[in-house]
Amino acid sequence: MMVKGHIESVPINWKIDTGAKRTFITEHVFNSIIEKPQLSPVNANYIAADGHSLKCKGEAVMLVIFNDHVFEHKIIVGGVKYNLLGEDFILKNRCTWDPDESSFIIKGSRFPLGRNDGKSGSGYR
């Protein structure tokens, strides 16, 4: 499942990944941010579903935006092929999805879901 949004005003597609403990963006997306937040070291070792360690560049609190809804959230940069909206964001913001209406719900607001392109990339934890 995919949902369109922004990170620090850069438009991106988020893959909703309930298997990811944290929320990640790619280095490419981070490099697109004009006023980049300063990254702090990541104090954990994240492992992909295939058993390989993720090479993360760092983490920082960033603005995650869906339409006019803005959330400050700690984001990990790098180590992934896809931008992953992880369990930390999903639980903190009481997110659910409605398969009948093909929508992602964040704190009661609905956002249309896109379809996965078949290239998994999920399973990060």
Side-chain angles (χ1 to χ4, degrees):
M1 293 183 294
M2 305 288 284
V3 64
K4 291 183 179 187
H6 291 79
I7 186 91
E8 295 290 329
S9 299
V10 174
I12 65 170
N13 289 316
W14 289 103
K15 179 176 258 188
I16 301 167
D17 191 342
T18 58
K21 296 292 181 196
R22 297 284 309 275
T23 296
F24 294 81
I25 60 171
T26 65
E27 283 189 53
H28 175 75
V29 166
F30 182 74
N31 291 335
S32 299
I33 296 171
I34 294 171
E35 293 185 34
K36 294 173 185 50
Q38 184 168 346
L39 296 178
S40 300
V42 176
N43 294 325
N45 184 29
Y46 293 97
I47 307 296
D50 64 6
H52 288 90
S53 181
L54 299 181
K55 295 183 188 326
C56 302
K57 187 172 183 175
E59 65 183 350
V61 174
M62 298 185 209
L63 298 179
V64 177
I65 305 161
F66 295 97
N67 293 340
D68 59 348
H69 301 276
V70 180
F71 306 89
E72 284 188 354
H73 195 74
K74 190 174 281 189
I75 306 292
I76 297 176
V77 175
V80 294
K81 294 179 185 177
Y82 305 98
N83 304 302
L84 303 177
L85 201 58
E87 184 180 291
D88 59 337
F89 185 90
I90 292 167
L91 293 176
K92 178 181 177 184
N93 295 293
R94 301 184 315 270
C95 300
T96 59
W97 41 91
D98 182 344
D100 295 330
E101 292 190 21
S102 190
S103 61
F104 186 60
I105 304 161
I106 307 172
K107 292 188 176 179
S109 295
R110 293 178 178 267
F111 304 94
L113 284 172
R115 301 226 47 194
N116 188 339
D117 63 6
K119 298 176 183 174
S120 176
S122 62
Y124 293 98
R125 48 192 160 125

